[in-house]
């Protein structure tokens, strides 16, 4: 049995008890209030997660006009993650794409494939001649009434 089973919190303190860091923060806040100064508060970013089916759905999704909100769009079918944030400097949005490493490797391999070879005019004409010969042989065989291969 681990120590966690005995009420030990690996992050400090007992369960339900404040950690030393929390106690220090509370003491600092009380000291600052006693001096008549407010403790500066940092805005924690808020993360909003949504499921989407395509990149287009994520790019057209509406977001809040708040620089502290991060919108995360998950496209599990394609193995992609999109992040969209409001940019207060431009009034637009910042949009980032993230791909699964295996998908990125597939895209690189697809781009590295050589262009397919196409048949030349001579090759097509030779094929047409061969098909014509075979068609004449089949029609001649039908005229003779032969049912077995020669």
């Amino acid at each position: 049995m681990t120590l966690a089973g005995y009420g030990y919190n690996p992050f400090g303190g007992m369960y339900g008890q404040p950690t030393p860091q929390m106690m220090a923060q509370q003491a600092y806040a009380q000291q600052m209030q006693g001096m008549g100064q407010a403790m500066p508060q940092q805005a924690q970013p808020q993360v909003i997660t949504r499921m989407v089916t395509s990149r287009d759905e994520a790019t057209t999704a509406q977001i809040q006009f708040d620089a502290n909100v991060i919108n995360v769009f998950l496209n599990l079918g394609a193995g992609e993650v999109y992040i969209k944030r409001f940019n207060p400097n431009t009034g637009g949005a910042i949009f980032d794409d993230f791909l699964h490493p295996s998908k990125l490797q597939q895209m690189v391999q697809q781009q590295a494939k050589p262009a397919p070879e196409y048949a030349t005019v001579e090759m097509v004409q030779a094929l047409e001649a061969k098909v014509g010969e075979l068609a004449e042989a089949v029609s001649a065989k039908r005229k003779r009434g032969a049912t077995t291969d020669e």
Side-chain angles (χ1 to χ4, degrees):
M1 179 173 234
T2 64
L3 292 177
Y6 292 106
Y8 172 75
N9 184 353
F11 301 108
M14 299 295 285
Y15 287 115
Q17 299 291 324
T19 63
Q21 291 93 1
M22 291 171 61
M23 291 172 42
Q25 288 174 350
Q26 288 175 351
Y28 178 73
Q30 289 174 356
Q31 183 180 14
M32 293 302 284
Q33 286 176 348
M35 299 175 131
Q37 298 176 355
M39 184 172 160
Q41 294 194 4
Q42 296 175 345
Q44 294 291 332
Q46 178 185 4
V47 178
I48 298 174
T49 306
R50 296 186 219 169
M51 302 295 282
V52 294
T53 56
S54 68
R55 184 181 193 278
D56 293 334
E57 188 177 344
T59 56
T60 58
Q62 294 182 357
I63 61 171
Q64 295 179 4
F65 297 119
D66 185 3
N68 290 329
V69 177
I70 299 172
N71 297 279
V72 178
F73 299 94
L74 303 172
N75 185 353
L76 298 180
E80 298 175 349
V81 176
Y82 317 109
I83 295 180
K84 189 173 182 182
R85 296 175 284 139
F86 176 69
N87 185 349
N89 296 331
T90 63
I94 300 170
F95 192 86
D96 297 313
D97 294 31
F98 298 95
L99 302 175
H100 192 273
S102 63
K103 183 171 181 175
L104 184 62
Q105 187 178 14
Q106 287 175 354
M107 291 175 62
V108 170
Q109 288 174 351
Q110 287 176 352
Q111 291 176 352
K113 289 182 182 177
E117 273 189 43
Y118 295 104
T120 62
V121 174
E122 294 81 20
M123 296 168 88
V124 173
Q125 289 172 344
L127 183 60
E128 287 176 342
K130 184 68 174 175
V131 170
E133 290 173 15
L134 292 173
E136 288 176 14
V138 169
S139 62
K141 194 172 187 180
R142 284 189 182 157
K143 286 182 184 176
R144 287 186 305 214
T147 59
T148 59
D149 291 334
E150 297 178 1

